[in-house]
Every structure is written in structure tokens, then in C-alpha cells.
Amino acid sequence: MKRRIMTAGMLAMMLAMGMTGCGKSDTKTDETTKTEQTSETDSNGEKKQSDNETNVMNDEQKKLYEEIKKAYNVEEEQKIADALEAKKKSQDYTLSNMLIEYNPFGTNTQSLYVYFKTDNAVKVSYTIHVDKDNIEDFSRDVYQQEEYQTEHEFQVIGLIPDTENTVTFYITNKDGSTDTKEIVYDMGSLYGEEEVQLDTDVKQSADKLTDGLYVILGNDSSSMGFMYYYDNNGVLRGEVPLLGYRSHRLIFDENSMYYSISEKRLAQVNRLGQVTNVYNLGDYKLHHDYVFDENGNMLILATDTTQDSVEDIVLKLDVNSGEVTEVLDLEDLFGEYKKTCVKNSSDELDWMHINTIQYMGNGSVLLSSRETSTIIKIDNIYDQPSVAYMIGEKDFWDDTSYVSLLLNKKGDFTIQGGQHSITYETDESLQEGQYYLYMYNNNIGISETRPDYDWSAIGLKESSATEGKNSKYYKYLVDENAGTFELVDSFKVPYSGYVSSAQELGDNVLIDTGLKGMFSEYDENHKVIATYKMNYEKFIYRVYKYNFDGFYFEKNE
């Protein structure tokens, strides 16, 4: 297998970024206490946007896009950080005289940068209030390195656009006593046109919802790209601009958050919103997913643009050096099968279409292949990759040399079809060699690169992207020792033939039905607690919920 290695260059941008964002903004303090963008569409309608720049934008959007490009220029971001440092040293900033800047780094249009010192060691929280009956207050405890400290620097997120936001800061001493400081901030407009309040249908007590923010990953648009944060009330609390394509998930290390910002670039962002690194994948295009291994290297699903096929490569990114290495080309393991496949209706050889990667430890990964409705375990991904086993339909693989790699299905159920967002889950109650694997089972039977195969014969009768009876949440118990997998939990969810996601949240489950533009949180009995619907151009690729504890907010032990 070839291994191409390169050093990731940083994005080069033309203009320096100002210290304030777009739109009208005004801070009032209470004196008392208070380009050319091309697009490709594969056969399932999953639009892929390149890194080139203009796309379908009006003049105002083009201006905003120039600002977004500056936000992902590492050198310019450092200049902003240096300017803030100089400002911090220019005078004493206290509770009554805070240093406050609107979205200085350009990475969240609904944010403020805040800095001040206190004589005593304290912890800090804040509440955002607006005079709108349909928008409830938003409160959070601020992350600090120590629970109580005298220097405070953080990012407030959750402002509401085009209105006055009253932000109250609560300063809590070790003895429990509290001081407050209130400011009024008049936020300008969003960059995008997304809803501030989603169409929300709460069917049970909202108290049953888990804590956190719903992060919309891929509300794909033909103009500008964003990642959104929505709270449990369906209120927009974060608008994160992107260069293009979409973000696929958020992953974290000790001090940073990482996400994709285009087809060829990923960003490293600190707690203040500063972009501290941008990684360029060179001849590779990122798609669908990425994950950390135990050493802090990032494994990325990719396409080698110099090859004849797509979405069949795994890369390793060293986030410290920026070095990118190809560690797996699935053709090296499934070359015989690839030769039997044909191009799809978009004239692409998308013969595997890997849409999720899960790291299991010790160099082993799970890959979800939508095109074959198969989940593949790869061992020794960094050295001599090999297929450990597969979870899929034996009939599909029956006339190939790979059929012996399939685990045995235990029980009577229809295999997953076109699955998305598989998740590997360990449990102390399980024996060594056992684990859980859950997913959004799209419940579709189609493989354009294998048009001869009849999926309906094994129970997967749906073949439409949008017209189907239902999709399903599936959870398997995989027993590597016995060589089996069995369905231990499932329930029906609204149908989406492509895209979509599932995420366990304690006893609850979050389901994104992507092609319907809706997501729901279910309780432990698989009953809907709340459903959220948003305007969408094509689909919502994924929705995951993050509490941001230990990043934006105080870490709960």
C-alpha cells in the first residue's frame, strides 16, 4: 500500500480581521452592579461543496464570506490575540470595568469575549435574558482552570441576534456569597438566514431532556455554510461560520476543539474562539468523519483525488506537526470486490462509501460502508492493515472471497441497510471481546455500484431517498469470541433513506432524520420527548448533542 506523507500548510488569507463583527452592536454598562465554488452531487443527493469560493452568493454574502476567510487565517487570528493581550495590560479590568469584545476571532457570531480580575478567588457564571416571551433565559457556569481564581477570561455564547441582550454575570466567592454585574449588549444580525427559534414540539416534560446544545452538522446550503448550536428550547445559541462543505462532528483534546471547515481543511479552535491551527489535506478531500486515537492523532475519512474512486481512504493527521499520512486504501484489502463494481449515476466509483469511523484502541477501527450496508473492523491500521471481520448480509457477499469474514447473525431480524453514524460502545458489564454497536439504520436497500443485487430479497425493500415507511435505531451486541452479533435494542424512527444520525445520551437517544430536516430526543422507553424542525435546503446531515463541559463551561466531575 502506498503511503503518501505531506506537511499540512496553513491557509493564506489577504486581509487582517477587525476587532468587531458585522451588524450593529453596542455595549451599555449599568453603573451600579449590573469565488468560484463547484459542487458535485452523488447519486443519493448528498451535495459535496469544494473549497473554492463564490458558490451561489449575493453581494452581501460575498462580503461576509471574506470575513469568514479571515477567521481561518492563523496568523491574523494571532494578531487579534496579541491585540487583546496588549489591551488587557493597558489598564486594570475589574468586575465594574470588564474588557468585553464582540466575537473578536470571528468564529461564533453569537459570542462575547470577556476579561477581568477580582481581588478574591471566585467562580463565574452568566445568564442571558431578552425581552421576548418565546425565548427563555440561557445560563451557564464558565470554565476556569481552577474552580476559584482571580483572573477570568472566557467566551460568552448564546446571544440573540437583532435585539438587546441583558447579560448578568454572577461572581461566587468560596463562602457562597455572590456579586453581580449586568451589561446590556445590542447584538447585530446573523451571517446566515437560519431560524432563531425552531419549530418545536415538546410532547413530555422538558425536564426529561438531557443537558447540552444540539449541534447541527451539515444543514447543507448552496450559498454559505455554518454549524449551529440550539438549546433545549429550540433557540439558536451559536452560529459558527465555515469555509464550505460541512462540519461532521466536534472532537476535543485538553485545550482545543476540532472540526472540519471545508472539504480539505480542519480547524483547531481554543476556548476563546481563536483558530490556532488550520490543517490542509493537500490532494485529499475529507468526507463524513474523523476521530482521535489514544495518542491524539486524528484519523480522517478521505478521497484521494488522484485516484479513480472516492470515499475509500483513511488518513492520519498529526495535530502537532500537521503531517498527513495515508494509512489505509480499502482497495488494498478489497481489490477483487472493487473490480466487480461500476460507477454510479454521478459517474463516480463510490464502491464503499465509508461514512463513519470509530476508534476501538490498539490500532483497530470500525468503518461503516453505506454502499455495501456492511460494518468492517480493521486491525493494525498503522502497520499492516487487515480485515478482522465484517457485520453485513452474507447473501450480498456470498459469491466473493470475503464471505468468510462475516460474523454470524444471532436471531431473526433484517440486517442494517445504508446505515449512518455507527457508534462503538464498551460496558463494564460485558465480557472481554464483547461490545455494543448502535447506529441510525436508514433501512434502505440500494447499491448503485452493484446494480445486480436485489436487496428486497433479504428484507430491505425501500430504495427511495425520501419515500419510505420508517428507518430504525439499531443496537447490536457484538461478541468477537463467539463470532456473532445480535440485535438487543431497536425502535422505529421517521424515514430518511440517506444521511441522518443516532446518539445515545445516557438513557435518552437523539435521532436526526436528515432528509426530513428534523431531530428528536427520545426517552428510555423510546417515546419522543421533543421534536425540532428547521428550514433546510437539502437535508441536515447530522445532529449531535454536546454539553461543552470542560471547554466553554465548567466541567462537572
Side-chain angles (χ1 to χ4, degrees), residues 5-145:
I5 301 176
M6 71 194 80
T7 299
M10 301 304 150
L11 288 169
M13 302 297 175
M14 299 291 294
L15 303 172
M17 182 177 184
M19 291 298 288
T20 59
C22 74
K24 66 188 178 82
S25 58
D26 179 35
T27 305
K28 296 177 284 184
T29 304
D30 187 322
E31 294 299 324
T32 56
T33 57
K34 323 195 229 166
T35 219
E36 286 176 31
Q37 174 118 352
T38 60
S39 67
E40 308 162 2
T41 305
D42 69 12
S43 57
N44 61 21
E46 294 185 34
K47 180 174 283 189
K48 298 177 281 186
Q49 297 177 336
S50 75
D51 295 348
N52 300 324
E53 281 140 19
T54 44
N55 210 355
V56 184
M57 299 185 194
N58 59 36
D59 289 343
E60 180 61 27
Q61 288 173 328
K62 289 176 183 178
K63 291 178 183 178
L64 292 175
Y65 190 76
E66 291 302 311
E67 295 301 312
I68 295 170
K69 288 197 295 182
K70 297 173 193 175
Y72 294 105
N73 181 324
V74 175
E75 292 182 357
E76 297 302 330
E77 290 282 280
Q78 187 56 51
K79 289 179 183 178
I80 295 166
D82 292 343
L84 285 173
E85 281 298 315
K87 216 168 206 181
K88 286 160 56 178
K89 295 174 182 177
S90 67
Q91 60 176 285
D92 291 331
Y93 289 100
T94 64
L95 180 60
S96 60
N97 178 39
M98 294 176 168
L99 172 58
I100 298 176
E101 297 281 352
Y102 169 72
N103 186 26
F105 297 106
T107 52
N108 186 342
T109 64
Q110 295 173 258
S111 70
L112 298 172
Y113 165 88
V114 179
Y115 175 82
F116 64 97
K117 290 183 178 181
T118 51
D119 292 333
N120 298 322
V122 300
K123 58 183 179 180
V124 182
S125 59
Y126 65 85
T127 295
I128 297 173
H129 171 80
V130 296
D131 289 329
K132 294 188 177 184
D133 292 339
N134 64 327
I135 297 179
E136 295 188 17
D137 290 353
F138 181 77
S139 300
R140 289 296 187 270
D141 299 325
V142 170
Y143 171 83
Q144 300 187 139
Q145 287 187 323

Side-chain angles (χ1 to χ4, degrees), residues 335-398:
E336 291 181 25
Y337 175 72
K338 183 179 179 181
K339 291 176 183 177
T340 69
C341 296
V342 299
K343 291 185 177 182
N344 60 25
S345 57
S346 297
D347 199 35
E348 291 182 324
L349 188 56
D350 193 5
W351 62 291
M352 276 289 186
H353 195 97
I354 304 300
N355 61 26
T356 320
I357 182 169
Q358 291 282 285
Y359 190 74
M360 304 175 73
N362 299 315
S364 295
V365 297
L366 288 172
L367 302 176
S368 168
S369 168
R370 189 208 71 195
E371 187 68 6
T372 66
S373 293
T374 301
I375 298 156
I376 306 165
K377 181 182 179 184
I378 304 292
D379 285 339
N380 305 313
I381 193 166
Y382 295 128
D383 301 315
Q384 294 293 325
S386 61
V387 181
Y389 54 78
M390 303 192 299
I391 300 172
E393 177 54 50
K394 285 196 173 184
D395 187 63
F396 179 84
W397 295 98
D398 198 33

Side-chain angles (χ1 to χ4, degrees), residues 312-464:
D312 52 5
I313 301 292
V314 179
L315 306 176
K316 181 185 79 169
L317 168 66
D318 184 325
V319 297
N320 297 312
S321 70
E323 183 179 79
V324 177
T325 308
E326 180 180 311
V327 294
L328 176 64
D329 183 340
L330 283 168
E331 182 177 8
D332 294 333
L333 301 180
F334 292 92
E336 291 181 25
Y337 175 72
K338 183 179 179 181
K339 291 176 183 177
T340 69
C341 296
V342 299
K343 291 185 177 182
N344 60 25
S345 57
S346 297
D347 199 35
E348 291 182 324
L349 188 56
D350 193 5
W351 62 291
M352 276 289 186
H353 195 97
I354 304 300
N355 61 26
T356 320
I357 182 169
Q358 291 282 285
Y359 190 74
M360 304 175 73
N362 299 315
S364 295
V365 297
L366 288 172
L367 302 176
S368 168
S369 168
R370 189 208 71 195
E371 187 68 6
T372 66
S373 293
T374 301
I375 298 156
I376 306 165
K377 181 182 179 184
I378 304 292
D379 285 339
N380 305 313
I381 193 166
Y382 295 128
D383 301 315
Q384 294 293 325
S386 61
V387 181
Y389 54 78
M390 303 192 299
I391 300 172
E393 177 54 50
K394 285 196 173 184
D395 187 63
F396 179 84
W397 295 98
D398 198 33
D399 294 328
T400 74
S401 60
Y402 310 99
V403 67
S404 62
L405 295 168
L406 288 159
L407 297 184
N408 293 312
K409 185 174 70 170
K410 185 178 178 181
D412 183 17
F413 58 91
T414 301
I415 203 79
Q416 74 278 352
Q419 74 287 338
H420 281 73
S421 77
I422 67 166
T423 301
Y424 167 74
E425 182 182 87
T426 58
D427 192 297
E428 291 181 355
S429 67
L430 297 177
Q431 299 176 10
E432 186 175 350
Q434 294 181 327
Y435 62 89
Y436 291 118
L437 183 68
Y438 70 84
M439 69 200 74
Y440 185 97
N441 174 11
N442 297 75
N443 201 29
I444 189 172
I446 189 170
S447 298
E448 282 203 358
T449 59
R450 275 280 306 277
D452 59 310
Y453 187 74
D454 180 12
W455 287 98
S456 65
I458 57 98
L460 291 169
K461 298 179 181 180
E462 306 292 355
S463 59
S464 167

